[in-house]
Amino acid sequence: TSADLDTVSKAQAESDLTAALDAALEDPEETAEIEITELGSGLLDELDAAFRRVQLSRRFHNDAVRACRQVRSQFLVRIFRLAGHTAWPETWEMDDTRPHGLTER
């Protein structure tokens, strides 16, 4: 469906953004030049914090999906249809690796 295609394209776009940021911050010397200024240092700090939040959010979401799937697969839940007719939750997969320039900070 178009919703599934949109989800796939969104995940791909987010992974592409991660790759672009990794390429832009690949050279430690260039990253050090950015970090020299107060504005640059602040922006790198915000970017680093955003990467950490994305990693934690994705892990939390995927753990919750696994727990939900485990509960929904239990015998009593299936027999009494306690989950109703809702769709099964999906894990969120994307490349959320922090750029090399941020890991060296």
Side-chain angles (χ1 to χ4, degrees):
T1 65
S2 64
D4 293 335
L5 183 59
D6 185 46
T7 301
V8 170
S9 62
K10 182 179 178 183
Q12 184 60 48
E14 290 172 348
S15 293
D16 290 346
L17 176 60
T18 300
L21 287 169
D22 191 35
L25 299 172
E26 183 176 43
D27 185 6
E29 292 177 10
E30 290 179 7
T31 305
E33 283 184 38
I34 296 170
E35 196 167 17
I36 289 173
T37 66
E38 185 177 332
L39 176 63
S41 179
L43 290 173
L44 288 175
D45 288 343
E46 286 182 39
L47 185 60
D48 188 39
F51 265 97
R52 291 176 191 271
R53 285 191 305 272
V54 166
Q55 288 173 333
L56 289 172
S57 296
R58 189 180 68 80
R59 288 180 189 149
F60 179 80
H61 172 79
N62 287 347
D63 287 346
V65 166
R66 279 189 282 281
C68 180
R69 286 175 168 251
Q70 190 275 328
V71 167
R72 286 182 69 175
S73 66
Q74 291 177 0
F75 179 72
L76 290 177
V77 173
R78 285 183 296 141
I79 291 297
F80 291 113
R81 297 183 183 178
L82 298 176
H85 298 286
T86 60
W88 280 79
E90 298 290 328
T91 59
W92 184 255
E93 301 303 329
M94 64 170 277
D95 179 13
D96 61 359
T97 308
R98 290 171 55 216
H100 298 297
L102 292 178
T103 57
E104 297 174 2
R105 298 181 78 226

